[in-house]
Amino acid sequence: MGNSSHIDKDGRHRQLEDHLRAVAQTASENAAPFEAGDWARTAGLWHDLGKYQPPWQSYLRSHHTGDPHDAEPRGKVPHALAGAQYAERELGSLGRLLAYVIAGHHAGLPDFHSDDGGLGSLRLRLAEASSNPKRDELTAAFGNAEAIPPDILAKPSLAPDSRMDSRAKGSELALSLWLRMLFSCLVDADFLDAEAFLNPQQHAQRPALPKAADLLSTFNAYMAHKTADAAANPSPVNTARAQVLTACRSSGQAPRFASGIYSLTVPTGGGKTLASLAFALEHAKAHGKQRVIYGIPFTSIIEQTAGVFREAFADNPDCVIEHHSNLDPAKASGTSHLATENWDAPLIVTTNVQLFESLFAAKTSRCRKLHSLVNSVIVLDEAQQLPPAYLAPITQALRLLAQHYGVTVLLCTATQPNLQGQTDAFGRSAFPGIGAVQEIIANPAGLYATLKRVEVTLPKADDARTSWEALAQSLHMHDCALTIVNTRQDARDLYSALGEDSGRVHLSARMCPQHRADVIADIKQRLQARRTGEITTPLRVVSTTLVEAGVDLDFPVVYRSLAGLDSIAQAAGRCNREGRLAGMGQVVVFRPEKERGKGLMQEARQAAAELIDGGLVTDALAPETFALYFNKLYGELQRNNGGKGLDAKEIVRLLTPDGKDCAISFRTAAERFKLIDEEGQHSVVVRYARDEAMRNDFETALGALAKDPTARWAYRQLQRFTVSVPEHEFKRMEQMVEPIAGLLVVQEGWYDPAFGLRSPDEAMSATSLCPS
């Protein structure tokens, strides 16, 4: 019968050498674009050498499941280390590089050293294999040596590549990124071969989708209709949008800028979403890029952006892949779900969390898409939202992708941060940054002047602080206004100060995503009805920062609690957005009596306050203001955190190989690299329902999970009904929640139709009114 790699549910065997050769071929093809095909082929041939162990073969025959999602047969006959041992034995120090990739092809990329001394340490695993016969997978496999074809064991001729060189300042991540790319090529090839044998029906759902350049003609036809409509309604705004689109097309068609890094500085309402796609598709056609990947900071912007793209490519909706946690299951086809596994699609719209945590991941499921970044265009929307605490590793990774992997990066925002690097007082590099950046817009200041639609009033240094009651009185002077504050408690306090019958509307993260979406849709309808004269009732919205990006609201007046200048600019983008007012919209920045919000929010507010109070801000929205602001913010973060403010978790240090052992801490870096700090946060499911149909859908999903805890569609549907609460509050919520199907579901009565999730204090207060 020979040796097998897999056995399907019908008892068919996949011959091990066939699996090794197939994985080697696909991995080599995956790695060829960055000239690592020989390395990937070797990793593919050797990754499952441990399956030649007789005990492993016996275990496969008695414990196989036929499920391609199972890493290996149920039980404890490991096999991933044998190939790593063989790589080190045959190739010496170069084999160490393959050892990381092969040893981690199921459990994930390991640390070389492990603080806990456990089997997460590659060094300890290799050392134990050489000293403990029970751990020596290679010797056990070679006990079956006559069964291993010579071509599988053949020693290749491998050489180091310049992409691996981590010695230069600002290139410390080079080797770890190269290894992670190689790892991606291997694990994706391994999974696809297993899937083709164990689940051919699913494998057949992976169609050959078009390349990014193939979408250009469809996009051009769509844009021809859009521009014709705009030409029929001439205005300064439409003229400016047409100029932005032309500049993006021209830049995309031109020779690639040396660094591969571009910026697109366009004020809110300047049409940068479609213009940036025009650049990406033109660039893909001109320079042979395979796909376009949009990294976006908020799911609200993703849903909006993906909706625009689906409209443009309505004839081929599967070419647009959304990849984020709040995706509505109704929008996900079988094809699109499979494409999220390895991003094998021409146009990906995903979160910064998914993009960057994958770039620094150790797990196979997260890493297997990374080779799809090679020869792509990455568009970072709202680039100012890149988290400063991770800015050093993020910008270095982007620069290396552009330098070594054919990636073109486009930074899109109205408030362009300075990511090109900083030096300290002695001229030394304090932050290497992303490198040289080519701006697409020839005159960003002139474009800003053309699209200027608001006046911003900033507080003076000696102005009295504003109470919520005083602010409420000011808001009552406007029938239609939006106020953005920094915290949930601020939103609640101002909402209460406005009083009943004031047309008040509350928005905060105490509301679940579905509730927020419904309220935002209602606000948009009421704004439109006010514009047409259908209604005249007041509309006064009080929101946290969640409306500052990706929510296309258009108010004549916006009040903003003092914050970072980028946040003030985002708030201004919700004012006179479409330029409908006869004059300028009004944005008023105020200092509340009590300033809440810690961490980055506080640092950004202080940086803005110092610039404003020092008289250095003459125009809060001018492009040059943001260069000044971000230089100050990043400099202060570095100084206040011992030079580590832009790499707070020391990711660069963890991923810098030492000279002796080539030791890299993949797993520890992945555990620390979390753009959303969920530590101390708990998610609860709330019983929000807009109508009876939504209530029925909610209960159906909950019931499905009770019967089948693996029903992923139900989990995804219920994610739109979750609220995150901090640890200190969660500890007091015992009486408010009940466990259902492995989830914590808030009981009826503790979800307010205006505020969202009630606090435990409110719950206790309400309970205390009940007779004992």
Side-chain angles (χ1 to χ4, degrees):
M1 181 179 292
N3 295 283
S4 305
S5 64
H6 303 88
I7 304 175
D8 72 7
K9 61 182 183 297
D10 297 322
R12 292 187 309 120
H13 289 245
R14 171 69 159 159
Q15 292 302 301
L16 179 52
E17 54 268 26
D18 291 341
H19 171 67
L20 294 176
R21 291 179 183 124
V23 171
Q25 180 62 32
T26 302
S28 177
E29 292 168 359
N30 288 343
F34 60 100
E35 299 178 345
D38 290 343
W39 287 84
R41 179 181 296 105
T42 304
L45 289 172
W46 294 353
H47 79 287
D48 273 352
L49 286 181
K51 290 187 176 181
Y52 280 104
Q53 300 173 86
W56 196 93
Q57 289 294 316
S58 297
Y59 213 83
L60 173 66
R61 286 165 172 76
S62 59
H63 290 78
H64 71 87
T65 67
D67 184 350
H69 290 276
D70 285 343
E72 56 186 72
R74 308 284 188 185
K76 297 182 179 180
V77 183
H79 72 274
L81 195 63
Q85 293 175 263
Y86 188 66
E88 280 214 325
R89 192 185 83 178
E90 295 297 306
L91 300 174
S93 59
L94 292 181
R96 168 69 52 79
L97 305 182
L98 285 176
Y100 278 109
V101 172
I102 294 172
H105 79 271
H106 284 310
L109 285 166
D111 289 349
F112 186 72
H113 299 290
S114 178
D115 292 338
D116 61 11
L119 289 182
S121 164
L122 179 60
R123 180 183 65 83
L124 288 178
R125 290 173 67 189
L126 290 170
E128 189 170 6
S130 65
S131 62
N132 183 350
K134 292 183 179 180
R135 296 285 187 183
D136 188 354
E137 296 176 20
L138 184 61
T139 299
F142 273 34
N144 195 15
E146 71 281 357
I148 307 178
D151 67 297
I152 301 294
L153 297 175
K155 182 178 177 179
S157 177
L158 301 179
D161 185 279
S162 61
R163 296 174 182 84
M164 305 176 185
D165 192 349
S166 292
R167 293 171 295 180
K169 176 70 173 177
S171 296
E172 296 90 345
L173 301 180
L175 180 58
S176 65
L177 180 59
W178 184 87
L179 283 170
R180 204 178 271 106
M181 283 291 186
L182 192 68
F183 183 66
S184 171
C185 295
L186 172 65
V187 296
D188 188 50
D190 190 26
F191 187 91
L192 290 176
D193 186 71
E195 178 189 71
F197 179 74
L198 297 172
N199 193 346
Q201 294 81 11
Q202 177 172 294
H203 194 70
Q205 292 182 40
R206 298 181 184 269
L209 292 169
K211 302 301 181 185
D214 299 331
L215 304 181
L216 185 58
S217 59
T218 302
F219 176 76
N220 287 343
Y222 172 78
M223 290 305 296
H225 289 291
K226 296 280 288 186
T227 52
D229 291 343
N233 298 280
S235 70
V237 171
N238 283 340
T239 299
R241 287 173 177 169
Q243 292 170 348
V244 169
L245 179 62
T246 298
C248 285
R249 286 191 183 278
S250 297
S251 186
Q253 296 164 0
R256 184 174 181 264
F257 183 59
S259 74
I261 312 291
Y262 294 78
S263 61
L264 178 61
T265 306
V266 176
T268 300
K272 65 180 170 62
T273 299
L274 287 170
S276 64
L277 183 57
F279 166 86
L281 295 180
E282 293 282 7
H283 194 81
K285 181 178 180 180
H287 302 285
K289 304 305 178 186
Q290 299 299 298
R291 57 185 52 82
V292 176
I293 299 164
Y294 271 75
I296 297 176
F298 308 114
T299 54
S300 58
I301 310 180
I302 288 181
E303 292 166 352
Q304 178 176 290
T305 302
V308 171
F309 293 166
R310 284 202 181 89
E311 180 181 320
F313 303 107
D315 293 339
N316 189 6
D318 280 341
C319 75
V320 181
I321 303 299
E322 276 184 80
H323 191 184
H324 58 92
S325 60
N326 285 343
L327 179 63
D328 185 344
K331 296 180 181 177
S333 67
T335 298
S336 64
H337 170 70
L338 292 174
T340 63
E341 295 178 347
N342 60 359
W343 285 0
D344 189 9
L347 183 52
I348 309 288
V349 186
T350 190
T351 59
N352 285 349
V353 170
Q354 185 64 239
L355 173 60
F356 291 115
E357 288 190 6
S358 295
L359 259 177
F360 291 90
K363 293 182 178 178
T364 57
S365 58
R366 270 286 176 87
C367 287
R368 65 176 289 203
K369 66 177 77 71
L370 292 182
H371 67 281
S372 292
L373 298 180
V374 178
N375 286 334
S376 69
V377 180
I378 296 178
V379 181
L380 297 178
D381 197 15
E382 303 297 346
Q384 80 285 353
Q385 292 289 343
L386 292 176
Y390 297 95
L391 209 54
I394 284 175
T395 52
Q396 186 178 148
L398 289 171
R399 181 161 46 80
L400 291 170
L401 285 172
Q403 182 178 349
H404 294 316
Y405 299 93
V407 174
T408 294
V409 178
L410 177 62
L411 307 169
C412 289
T413 178
T415 57
Q416 202 68 243
N418 178 13
L419 301 180
Q420 298 183 51
Q422 288 185 335
T423 56
D424 61 18
F426 302 98
R428 297 172 301 195
S429 175
F431 165 48
I434 204 168
V437 177
Q438 174 69 53
E439 172 60 47
I440 290 176
I441 302 301
N443 183 8
L447 179 63
Y448 160 69
T450 299
L451 291 174
K452 185 174 181 179
R453 299 184 294 280
V454 301
E455 294 286 354
V456 179
T457 302
L458 297 171
K460 295 181 174 59
D462 55 356
D463 282 353
R465 290 186 175 271
T466 304
S467 68
W468 299 125
E469 291 73 21
L471 181 57
Q473 291 179 6
S474 297
L475 290 171
H476 277 290
M477 298 172 62
H478 306 283
D479 284 343
C480 188
L482 166 67
T483 304
I484 302 174
V485 294
N486 290 327
T487 70
R488 300 174 184 180
Q489 188 60 52
D490 288 348
R492 186 152 192 166
D493 290 346
L494 177 57
Y495 181 90
S496 298
L498 280 169
E500 297 181 2
D501 301 323
S502 61
R504 61 184 182 177
V505 176
H506 167 269
L507 272 171
S508 81
R510 296 293 293 189
M511 304 155 70
C512 69
Q514 184 62 57
H515 190 181
R516 297 199 302 265
D518 290 342
V519 170
I520 290 169
D522 179 66
I523 292 169
K524 289 181 177 180
Q525 289 177 356
R526 291 169 67 178
L527 285 170
Q528 177 61 23
R530 285 183 60 84
R531 283 193 287 269
T532 60
E534 294 177 44
I535 62 172
T536 57
T537 52
L539 175 60
R540 301 182 177 101
V541 176
V542 179
S543 176
T544 57
T545 60
L546 64 87
V547 299
E548 284 187 341
V551 181
D552 290 347
L553 300 178
D554 192 353
F555 283 82
V557 177
V558 172
Y559 282 75
R560 181 58 169 97
S561 182
L562 182 63
L565 290 178
D566 56 326
S567 295
I568 291 171
Q570 289 293 339
R574 313 311 121 192
C575 183
N576 196 22
R577 184 179 182 88
E578 297 299 325
R580 293 187 177 97
L581 299 179
M584 291 286 177
Q586 297 301 309
V587 177
V588 180
V589 181
F590 65 94
R591 285 185 169 99
E593 276 187 329
K594 183 175 182 180
E595 288 185 336
R596 297 185 175 101
K598 300 179 181 179
L600 179 59
M601 181 181 289
Q602 182 178 19
E603 297 264 17
R605 182 171 61 229
Q606 289 176 346
E610 289 179 18
L611 292 175
I612 292 169
D613 294 345
L616 299 176
V617 179
T618 55
D619 186 338
L621 305 183
E624 60 270 18
T625 298
F626 298 107
L628 185 70
Y629 164 71
F630 281 110
N631 280 340
K632 181 171 185 58
L633 176 62
Y634 296 159
E636 290 295 326
L637 287 170
Q638 287 287 72
R639 282 188 289 274
N640 295 341
N641 294 278
K644 299 177 181 178
L646 303 183
D647 187 10
K649 300 300 178 69
E650 299 187 275
I651 303 299
V652 173
R653 179 184 64 80
L654 289 167
L655 295 176
T656 301
D658 69 19
K660 179 182 178 182
D661 294 323
C662 196
I664 301 173
S665 298
F666 284 106
R667 185 162 298 180
T668 300
E671 290 169 352
R672 291 189 187 183
F673 195 98
K674 302 294 180 187
L675 297 194
I676 298 176
D677 186 2
E678 296 179 341
E679 187 173 352
Q681 294 285 322
H682 298 266
S683 289
V684 295
V685 179
V686 298
R687 293 183 181 275
Y688 164 78
R690 179 183 62 240
D691 50 36
E692 196 61 29
M694 184 175 288
R695 183 179 299 276
N696 290 338
D697 289 344
F698 178 94
E699 296 298 339
T700 298
L702 207 56
L705 282 177
K707 294 178 181 178
D708 178 11
T710 66
R712 288 188 295 179
W713 70 267
Y715 274 112
R716 288 198 168 216
Q717 185 158 313
L718 292 174
Q719 279 180 322
R720 299 187 67 80
F721 298 88
T722 59
V723 175
S724 292
V725 293
E727 175 74 23
H728 68 85
E729 183 176 335
F730 182 75
K731 289 179 178 178
R732 296 181 289 125
M733 290 182 65
E734 184 176 354
Q735 64 175 320
M736 296 172 58
V737 298
E738 55 182 331
I740 300 177
L743 302 172
L744 292 174
V745 182
V746 176
Q747 298 177 22
E748 296 278 2
W750 303 130
Y751 192 80
D752 188 276
F755 292 119
L757 181 65
R758 299 179 188 273
S759 74
D761 295 332
E762 292 178 273
M764 287 185 280
S765 175
T767 304
S768 67
L769 299 176
C770 300
S772 57

